[in-house]
């Protein structure tokens, strides 16, 4: 995946009871040419399989599709071990891994896991340190010594594997700025899309921080979690009164997503069902076989 390709994927949850369906979906998506699948990471929920165990298992049963946790529950996964996990998955899968990163949102549940509670500011500082450390512990080279406020390692050998792309779920201004400084992509929170106020006010924070750090803001993807229905007939309105995308026919999806790429700088779309759950197999097939190819063709002209 280059920084300028439009990425198409789908999102689901990794419930223990959903494993057979999850395998069917990812195998179908792999055959149909989707780029990525995402799993949520909530280790305090007993009915969910571990996101990274599931990623490894599914990547071993597919050939082309990449996987990522949307987003990694960082407070429960220390950065040095997370670096080992994602570089190992990259080596095992031929590079088919993206590192989705979050500072931690549900702190009441996170602290129930025995993790010390951080203030919001400290959580973002730890999030930025973690991204830096994961990248430094990737790509080979000399042993790494890192002395941060939250992470410290002494003479740890980096894995001889390139760091995966890092996509964040940043929401607050401080976290958005960290994304601009050190990450490779951004997933707007609360399923905000390219016409939302959240996107319009948040993306400039990323761009300004990237430029201040000497980076090209255009190299940082915006990948949208996009719930919606794919209908047989055109809908009279594809957005609700609040401006949220509802979905529509294949043609309506193609028109909307093409405009999102060409007019608003979108570079990826992760499909969810309208209720923010996994799409069904029929919708997933139409997404992969009809919508994604048509959008790719339109933006290539």
């Amino acid at each position: 995946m280059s920084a300028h390709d439009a990425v198409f994927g789908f999102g689901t949850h990794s419930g223990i009871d959903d494993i057979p369906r999850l395998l069917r979906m990812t195998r179908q998506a792999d055959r149909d040419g989707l780029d990525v699948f995402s799993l949520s990471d909530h280790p305090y929920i007993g009915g969910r399989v571990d996101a990274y165990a599931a990623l490894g298992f599914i990547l071993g049963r597919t050939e082309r599709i990449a996987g990522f946790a949307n987003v990694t529950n960082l407070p429960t996964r220390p950065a040095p071990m997370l670096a080992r996990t994602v570089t190992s998955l990259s080596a095992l899968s031929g590079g088919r891994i993206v590192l989705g990163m979050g500072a931690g949102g549900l702190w009441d549940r996170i602290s129930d896991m025995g993790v010390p509670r951080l203030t919001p500011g400290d959580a973002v500082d730890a999030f930025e340190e973690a991204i830096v450390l994961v990248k430094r512990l990737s790509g080979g080279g000399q042993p790494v010594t890192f002395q941060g406020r939250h992470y410290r390692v002494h003479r740890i050998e980096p894995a001889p594997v390139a760091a995966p792309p890092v996509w964040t779920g940043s929401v607050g201004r401080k976290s958005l700025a960290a994304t601009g400084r050190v990450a490779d992509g951004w997933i707007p929170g609360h399923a905000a899309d390219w016409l939302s106020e959240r996107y319009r006010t948040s993306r400039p924070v990323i761009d300004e921080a990237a430029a201040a750090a000497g980076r090209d803001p255009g190299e940082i993807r915006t990948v949208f979690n996009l719930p919606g229905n794919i209908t047989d007939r055109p809908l009279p309105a594809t957005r609700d009164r609040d401006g949220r995308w509802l979905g529509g026919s294949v043609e309506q999806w193609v028109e909307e997503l093409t405009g999102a790429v060409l007019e608003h700088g979108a570079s990826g779309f992760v499909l969810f069902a309208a209720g923010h759950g996994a799409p069904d197999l029929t919708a997933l097939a139409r997404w992969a076989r009809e919508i994604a190819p048509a959008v790719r063709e339109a933006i290539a002209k």
Side-chain angles (χ1 to χ4, degrees), residues 25-286:
M25 293 178 71
T26 50
R27 286 171 169 174
Q28 175 180 301
D30 190 43
R31 291 192 300 269
D32 288 345
L34 287 182
D35 301 295
V36 67
F37 70 93
S38 77
L39 303 176
S40 57
D41 185 22
H42 297 289
Y44 34 74
I45 299 177
R48 302 274 179 91
V49 296
D50 177 79
Y52 276 90
L55 285 171
F57 184 75
I58 294 167
L59 290 172
R61 305 286 288 271
T62 53
E63 297 179 0
R64 292 173 295 276
I65 196 167
F68 78 109
N70 186 3
V71 290
T72 301
N73 192 287
L74 176 63
T76 62
R77 300 184 186 275
M81 287 304 300
L82 183 59
R84 288 290 185 250
T85 299
V86 295
T87 53
S88 296
L89 285 172
S90 182
L92 289 163
S93 68
R96 294 185 293 122
I97 190 75
V98 174
L99 175 54
M101 286 285 273
L106 301 177
W107 272 99
D108 287 342
R109 297 312 318 275
I110 292 168
S111 62
D112 287 344
M113 297 283 287
V115 176
R117 184 186 290 267
L118 296 178
T119 67
D122 283 345
V124 173
D125 290 339
F127 159 82
E128 184 167 1
E129 280 188 15
I131 295 172
V132 171
L133 185 54
V134 168
K135 292 187 174 187
R136 289 188 61 182
L137 289 173
S138 309
Q142 297 300 310
V144 172
T145 295
F146 182 91
Q147 296 293 324
R149 288 183 58 214
H150 301 277
Y151 296 105
R152 297 174 180 84
V153 300
H154 180 68
R155 296 190 57 78
I156 300 298
E157 295 180 4
V161 179
V166 178
W167 298 352
T168 77
S170 295
V171 175
R173 188 175 185 88
K174 184 175 180 178
S175 181
L176 291 165
T179 292
R181 287 190 293 269
V182 299
D184 307 296
W186 171 54
I187 306 164
H190 307 289
D193 69 27
W194 46 95
L195 298 185
S196 68
E197 181 68 16
R198 181 178 296 275
Y199 172 73
R200 287 195 298 271
T201 58
S202 297
R203 180 67 207 208
V205 179
I206 293 173
D207 293 347
E208 290 165 10
R215 305 182 68 201
D216 177 1
E219 295 297 315
I220 302 171
R221 290 182 178 276
T222 304
V223 181
F224 294 94
N225 286 335
L226 193 60
N229 292 317
I230 302 172
T231 60
D232 292 329
R233 297 180 180 180
L235 295 181
T238 57
R239 291 181 177 271
D240 64 17
R241 292 181 179 179
D242 296 323
R244 280 192 171 271
W245 175 251
L246 298 171
S249 65
V250 167
E251 293 77 14
Q252 287 174 315
W253 276 90
V254 171
E255 180 180 5
E256 185 75 19
L257 300 191
T258 300
V261 174
L262 297 180
E263 299 170 20
H264 300 284
S267 54
F269 308 96
V270 176
L271 178 69
F272 286 83
H276 299 267
D280 61 35
L281 289 170
T282 300
L284 185 62
R286 300 191 77 182

